Amino acid sequence: MTRALTVVAYAVNGAGVGHLTRTLAVLRWMRRLALCAGRRLDAYVLTTSEAGQLALREGFATFKLPSKTVVRTAGLPKDDYLRLARQWVWHSLGLLNPDLLLVDTFPGGTFGELGPALDMPGRKMFIHRAVREGFDAAGFAAWLPYYDRILSIVEPGLVEQASDNDIDLDDFETDAAAWQAGAGQVGEQADDMQGTDGAPPPSVCAPVFPAVVRSRVRCVPPILLREPDERHDRATARRRLGVPDDAFALWLSAGGGGDATAERTLTTLMDALLPEQDIHLVVGAGPLFTGSPRRGARITWLTEPLAAEDFAGLDAAISAAGFNTTYELLSMGVPTALFAQEKIADDQAARLARAVAAGAALQLPARATGEPDTSALSGLLARLRDEFTRERLAARAAAFVLPDGARQAATYALQLLLDQSELQAAAARATPRLCRWLESHRPDAGLLARLWAVTSAVTDGDDLAEWLATVPDSFTVDEALTFLRRLPPPTDAADLEAALTLWGRLATALEAFVDDRARAAFLRHLPWSRRVAPDDQVRVLTRLLVAAHGTGDSLYRVLGVVERHTAGAEQDPFRWLAGLVAAAEEVQHGVALGASTTLAGDC
């Protein structure tokens, strides 16, 4: 049995949930791809985020250290906390001894706490999301040589990824160049978009990578936890959100909720918008929100994570221009107006300007205090109500954000752990349909490894998912696989479909028997000849099972009768099939008729 892969993700958050969200998105796709390779992924998350329930929702184990924000609120001595944090990180990583360490944004940690752990024997991957120019957490560049792979998230609108050593984009194993070109085309169409100011995209300080790590850098689009094909349909989403059919559903957000101004910002926006009687406010307060919730008529108040699953139920959104919220809304095609908050590391104003320049969003100006300028809400709301404007915003927003950043990042991570052929086969299987089945059923990785071996010639995950969906709830995949392994290996989808048809016929006959153990034993010990056409054998076996159910015989007795009549006949197709027919006759009539009398009629 193949060895499990151990991965530790290190996500240190400030007042948001972005670092944790990104690492969970990558781990989620790593788990999918690992299962599609028949590998178990043991993933652990070390984090300071106060939104640990997000990891729980995704099924990942989390080890939690208090955030700096909580330490300040609790009045704990900073030096004591830093000393404890360093020791905790070092010992945790030493005990877990991961095959891969995945780190987001701060390669050495926010205060150098990762330093002593970076010379561990496992592989290491760093996810770089651009921060404000001049922000250097614990010596950013000095830690990069410790990493085997560096992913640079290229935000939409950044057409060029510059560096001090002329990194060749053509060398990147990604479609980032095509994506960037597409983003540029969207931008070229933006000048006729109502509400844009015609200003050129702002200049952005691109990350600078030392020459020693140049060959390790890869570009990926924004890494998001949910993709457009995972959202609920509009009717379901509005029902889940509690939005009436005739209401204008407007999303409000000030980020993950941990910002000091979050409650004041949301209150200001709600007070200005509630007088509009047809508006139903869906307030994404965020999992870190600690203020007073505001509920009432025409208000849905959310602090749960994964609200993006219900974005199809929205008509428009007004949101802070944080990384995750912005790209979740735009990738889902939600007509959005953005406002910029002042952050230590995140340049929200630059992100907002790029989206507006591309015609993918509108801008809500902010006052000097950092709060949205509510005097501009009336005109902005009028534009968001306009159906034509919303349609154009939705189309350009969806085109602006390439939605598969998490999958690309996970693929790059697994390149460090799996053979190329193993990863390529897994990537071919990992269609959305098969991934949904895997996440809903959580099968054993060893079982999947056997299944992929039997169906190795079928590379399309949708074909595999279609078969898996036909396995009756009363049977396990292991039982179906036990039967499939008796058949010639399928060489294409047509062979697989034929094999599934045979399994369906046999499973239907077996379903009448309620003893699960007896069914499993019957499938495991059932005599079978590879010299006899499977269709002929299944036809006689189903007749035998129907007869056994009618007479009240157990599957154990049926198995004994079949073994007695087919013993020694494996190499003679005629004798084997005659034995099966005789067994069916004995079960049905209590005595076996002459094989020559019944064989022609059955076969």
Side-chain angles (χ1 to χ4, degrees):
M1 183 175 178
T2 55
R3 187 177 65 86
L5 303 172
T6 302
V7 178
V8 172
Y10 188 71
V12 180
N13 269 77
V17 293
H19 307 314
L20 178 61
T21 300
R22 269 189 301 279
T23 54
L24 290 175
V26 176
L27 288 177
R28 185 168 176 252
W29 263 108
M30 287 185 71
R31 182 170 58 192
R32 288 172 165 180
L33 290 167
L35 286 174
C36 286
R39 295 288 201 108
R40 191 178 87 233
L41 187 78
D42 294 338
Y44 302 88
V45 181
L46 307 186
T47 186
T48 61
S49 174
E50 305 300 336
Q53 71 270 30
L54 183 59
L56 176 64
R57 283 282 301 271
E58 296 303 313
F60 291 109
T62 303
F63 292 95
K64 173 77 171 64
L65 187 71
S67 66
K68 292 181 181 179
T69 303
V70 168
V71 169
R72 284 194 299 269
T73 302
L76 299 177
K78 179 180 178 181
D79 290 343
D80 289 352
Y81 168 74
L82 296 181
R83 195 162 45 247
L84 180 150
R86 290 190 182 99
Q87 292 292 329
W88 181 81
V89 170
W90 302 340
H91 287 297
S92 296
L93 290 175
L95 290 170
L96 293 171
N97 190 26
D99 298 300
L100 177 71
L101 173 63
L102 175 67
V103 178
D104 182 89
T105 305
F106 306 120
T110 56
F111 47 91
E113 72 275 16
L114 281 178
L118 291 179
D119 60 357
M120 293 174 59
R123 311 302 294 272
K124 301 163 194 70
M125 187 173 85
F126 172 59
I127 299 174
H128 177 263
R129 195 213 75 196
V131 296
R132 282 184 177 275
E133 184 176 1
F135 183 84
D136 185 16
F140 172 82
W143 299 112
L144 296 180
Y146 289 96
Y147 287 87
D148 303 284
R149 178 59 48 82
I150 298 169
L151 300 187
S152 182
I153 299 176
V154 182
E155 296 195 42
L158 290 175
V159 179
E160 294 181 355
Q161 178 73 40
S163 75
D164 63 346
N165 49 68
D166 299 324
I167 295 176
D168 184 4
L169 282 176
D170 292 337
D171 186 51
F172 294 162
E173 302 159 10
T174 179
D175 58 352
W179 162 62
Q180 291 168 352
Q185 292 172 4
V186 173
E188 292 169 4
Q189 301 167 0
D191 54 4
D192 67 339
M193 177 66 197
Q194 180 181 0
T196 62
D197 57 10
S203 60
V204 178
C205 178
V208 177
F209 298 106
V212 69
V213 301
R214 180 178 65 179
S215 62
R216 311 174 199 176
V217 178
R218 301 291 185 270
C219 287
V220 295
I223 295 172
L224 305 176
L225 192 53
R226 287 293 182 269
E227 295 159 14
D229 63 1
E230 297 180 283
R231 60 186 172 181
H232 299 291
D233 62 78
R234 180 174 173 82
T236 300
R238 288 175 79 89
R239 184 166 59 251
R240 284 165 51 95
L241 293 171
V243 178
D245 293 339
D246 58 348
F248 186 86
L250 182 62
W251 170 267
L252 295 183
S253 173
D259 192 271
T261 63
E263 183 173 14
R264 186 169 68 248
T265 297
L266 291 175
T267 299
T268 299
L269 289 172
M270 293 175 71
D271 288 342
L273 291 165
L274 278 174
E276 302 282 339
Q277 293 299 310
D278 65 325
I279 286 182
H280 185 101
L281 296 179
V282 181
V283 184
L288 300 180
F289 186 84
T290 57
S292 299
R294 184 170 174 180
R295 300 182 175 91
R298 299 189 291 116
I299 298 174
T300 298
W301 184 272
L302 299 176
T303 55
E304 300 85 356
L306 302 179
E309 294 178 346
D310 294 316
F311 278 179
L314 303 175
D315 294 298
I318 297 175
S319 173
F323 183 97
N324 284 287
T325 305
T326 296
Y327 295 131
E328 284 174 349
L329 287 165
L330 299 186
S331 69
M332 298 290 186
V334 180
T336 300
L338 299 171
F339 61 90
Q341 294 174 315
E342 190 65 25
K343 296 286 187 176
I344 296 175
D346 187 25
D347 194 344
Q348 293 194 7
R351 182 175 301 116
L352 183 158
R354 291 193 296 271
V356 170
L362 302 178
Q363 179 176 3
L364 174 60
R367 296 192 178 102
T369 59
E371 295 178 11
D373 184 357
T374 54
S375 66
L377 271 179
S378 178
L380 188 70
L381 187 58
R383 286 150 65 188
L384 288 174
R385 286 181 181 278
D386 180 71
E387 185 174 354
F388 180 64
T389 300
R390 288 206 311 277
E391 288 177 356
R392 290 204 292 177
L393 278 171
R396 290 176 182 177
F400 188 58
V401 185
L402 192 67
D404 65 343
R407 177 170 183 152
Q408 289 187 33
T411 302
Y412 284 134
L414 287 172
Q415 282 180 349
L416 301 173
L417 303 176
L418 301 179
D419 293 336
Q420 182 178 357
S421 59
E422 188 178 10
L423 182 55
Q424 286 178 339
R429 293 187 190 105
T431 61
R433 185 175 179 184
L434 182 59
C435 288
R436 284 193 294 270
W437 187 91
L438 292 173
E439 289 177 342
S440 62
H441 289 77
R442 299 291 176 92
D444 175 72
L447 169 64
L448 290 176
R450 297 195 299 274
L451 177 60
W452 306 149
V454 169
T455 61
S456 58
V458 182
T459 58
D460 188 342
D462 284 344
D463 290 333
L464 294 166
E466 183 175 356
W467 168 67
L468 289 166
T470 66
V471 177
D473 292 339
S474 53
F475 288 89
T476 66
V477 174
D478 196 17
E479 290 171 333
L481 183 58
T482 299
F483 172 77
L484 283 182
R485 294 175 70 176
R486 301 176 184 276
L487 307 180
T491 59
D492 53 29
D495 283 353
L496 180 61
E497 183 176 359
L500 300 182
T501 300
L502 291 178
W503 162 248
R505 287 162 52 188
L506 186 63
T508 299
L510 277 170
E511 272 192 297
F513 298 87
V514 297
D515 188 336
D516 292 340
R517 288 188 176 183
R519 288 193 317 204
F522 181 85
L523 286 168
R524 189 164 55 251
H525 299 294
L526 175 67
W528 189 268
S529 173
R530 294 188 180 274
R531 292 181 174 271
V532 179
D535 186 67
D536 289 337
Q537 294 187 80
V538 169
R539 181 166 58 250
V540 180
L541 285 170
T542 53
R543 172 191 162 185
L544 182 150
L545 290 169
V546 170
H549 183 254
T551 59
D553 278 318
S554 74
L555 287 174
Y556 295 110
R557 178 178 181 275
V558 172
L559 192 60
V561 172
V562 172
E563 288 175 341
R564 175 159 45 82
H565 281 282
T566 58
E570 290 84 352
Q571 304 303 315
D572 186 335
F574 183 84
R575 282 186 59 207
W576 178 268
L577 208 52
L580 283 182
V581 172
E585 291 294 338
E586 179 174 333
V587 168
Q588 185 173 6
H589 300 293
V591 62
L593 303 179
S596 58
T597 305
T598 58
L599 185 57
D602 283 292
C603 306

